[in-house]
Amino acid sequence: MATSSTILELTLRGRVLAGLCAVAAGAAWLGEDPNARIAAAMLAAPLLIDLLAKPRRLHETEVRVGPRRTAAGAPFTEHLTIVNTGRSPVRECLLLEPRTMRLDPPTLIATLPPGVPQRVSARGRSLQRSHVLERVFVLVTAWPLGLFRVRAVIAITADLVTEPARVQLTANVENAIAEQQAAPRDRTRLPGPEFHSLREHQPGEDARAVHALRSASLGTLVQRVTRGRTPRTVGMVLDLRRPPGRQLGLGTRRFEWSLGAAATLIHLLRSRAAEVDVLVLDSEPSRILVRGPGQESDFLMLLAEASPTPHLPVDPATFEHLRRLEHCYWIPAGAFLATREHEAIAGTVHIIGGDFE
């Protein structure tokens, strides 16, 4: 965990001036020349003035930021609230976050008056998939003379979830997704779902089916019920295991691509209103049934925190719920293809990224 602190350092011009001041002071001491003493005093005066004008406890500045959820490499605009807790204003201050502003310039804040909350917008992007509970911001100011620089490191508690970067799936995967719809249940000529009725919207259901006008008139959320072409439940196996004898630190490029493929596939299936039964083969197998935005968000959180695991055999009974499904996607993120374990699933198994390396 980072510690908030304030660092005072000389700038380049400050080091040059301090060097000249030291030379003049040495000449005055050795030669006892009054002109050298005057020169040393004149060179030391701006250094002393700039030093006294610098804030000593800039790290006590309060920074407020809400939770952020983004995809790796995607740009975003962060809205922060900054409160100067000191007694004097801080001028010409640069704000940056090293984790998310490596490719973006720092934000200039002209003045931070004491005790007044100020809204600041900053551009950033998180390049590495992760889930952190602490964010670290840096405030830098060299006002007024630029001879000394004050750098404050401010660590705050804030959630930053960086999901895997989305990837481009092959045409075969796209075609397999397009075939996931079942035949119409009703005798209708419509190619898509047909309106059937209205009912109350339940928590956790897909909000895209909410009837906006009816919900506004009744003052409560109303869900559309459709009949016709109904999506099937689709299976997905995310295998995080490394092959036997392989090191965990190898194959990171394939691992990150596979997690991005899983995130992209979930989005495509959910956009077609399909339910996804996900089996994650980790050190302990887990199952997630993605039916709505809440479960989708939980699955993306799992992807943000995922890491490769050593190879472990899996009980064939673990795949029991997938045997009832006609289609299943298998993503060997850890590079273990598990050819024999595919036989435990009765339906069609689509391997995604099997020939990545």
Side-chain angles (χ1 to χ4, degrees), residues 201-251:
H201 176 76
Q202 300 297 328
E205 291 183 325
D206 194 347
R208 289 173 293 185
V210 171
H211 195 291
L213 296 179
R214 195 61 177 168
S215 300
S217 62
L218 295 178
T220 184
L221 294 179
V222 177
Q223 184 91 1
R224 289 192 302 268
V225 179
T226 57
R227 292 291 184 265
R229 296 170 64 85
T230 306
R232 294 190 181 101
T233 299
V234 183
M236 179 190 297
V237 178
L238 178 62
D239 194 349
L240 304 178
R241 300 172 299 168
R242 292 288 290 159
R246 298 280 187 89
Q247 297 182 7
L248 298 181
L250 300 178

Side-chain angles (χ1 to χ4, degrees), residues 181-193:
Q181 290 183 322
R185 286 191 288 177
D186 300 337
R187 292 183 177 180
T188 175
R189 297 180 180 178
L190 298 177

Side-chain angles (χ1 to χ4, degrees), residues 76-98:
F76 60 86
T77 301
E78 195 69 90
H79 301 285
L80 308 97
T81 301
I82 301 179
V83 182
N84 178 14
T85 58
R87 297 181 179 180
S88 58
V90 178
R91 296 180 173 88
E92 297 181 8
C93 191
L94 294 176
L95 170 69
L96 69 150
E97 184 182 15

Side-chain angles (χ1 to χ4, degrees), residues 167 251-258 332 337 352-357:
V167 301
T252 56
R253 182 167 172 261
R254 173 178 185 147
F255 187 81
E256 296 298 331
W257 185 92
S258 299
L337 299 182
I352 300 180
D355 54 351
F356 182 79
E357 294 179 338

Side-chain angles (χ1 to χ4, degrees), residues 325-329 345-350:
L325 305 178
E326 296 184 12
H327 294 274
C328 180
Y329 293 94
I345 302 176
T348 304
V349 179
H350 306 278

Side-chain angles (χ1 to χ4, degrees), residues 112-125:
L112 281 175
V116 179
Q118 185 166 340
R119 294 278 293 176
V120 177
S121 297
R123 296 279 294 175
R125 68 186 72 201

Side-chain angles (χ1 to χ4, degrees), residues 111-191:
T111 305
L112 281 175
V116 179
Q118 185 166 340
R119 294 278 293 176
V120 177
S121 297
R123 296 279 294 175
R125 68 186 72 201
S126 182
L127 302 179
Q128 186 177 3
R129 175 186 58 87
S130 59
H131 177 204
V132 297
L133 303 178
E134 180 189 68
R135 300 182 66 174
V136 179
F137 295 90
V138 177
L139 289 175
V140 181
T141 180
W143 188 88
L145 301 181
L147 303 177
F148 287 91
R149 180 190 299 113
V150 175
R151 185 189 306 272
V153 178
I154 304 174
I156 62 173
T157 301
D159 225 24
L160 175 61
V161 179
T162 307
E163 301 170 359
R166 306 307 190 258
V167 301
Q168 182 66 39
L169 300 178
T170 62
N172 294 334
V173 177
E174 294 281 354
N175 294 335
I177 294 173
E179 296 172 357
Q180 298 308 315
Q181 290 183 322
R185 286 191 288 177
D186 300 337
R187 292 183 177 180
T188 175
R189 297 180 180 178
L190 298 177

Side-chain angles (χ1 to χ4, degrees), residues 43-53 56 145 147-148:
L43 291 172
L47 288 171
L48 182 60
I49 293 174
D50 196 44
L51 179 63
L52 295 177
R56 294 295 189 275
L145 301 181
L147 303 177
F148 287 91

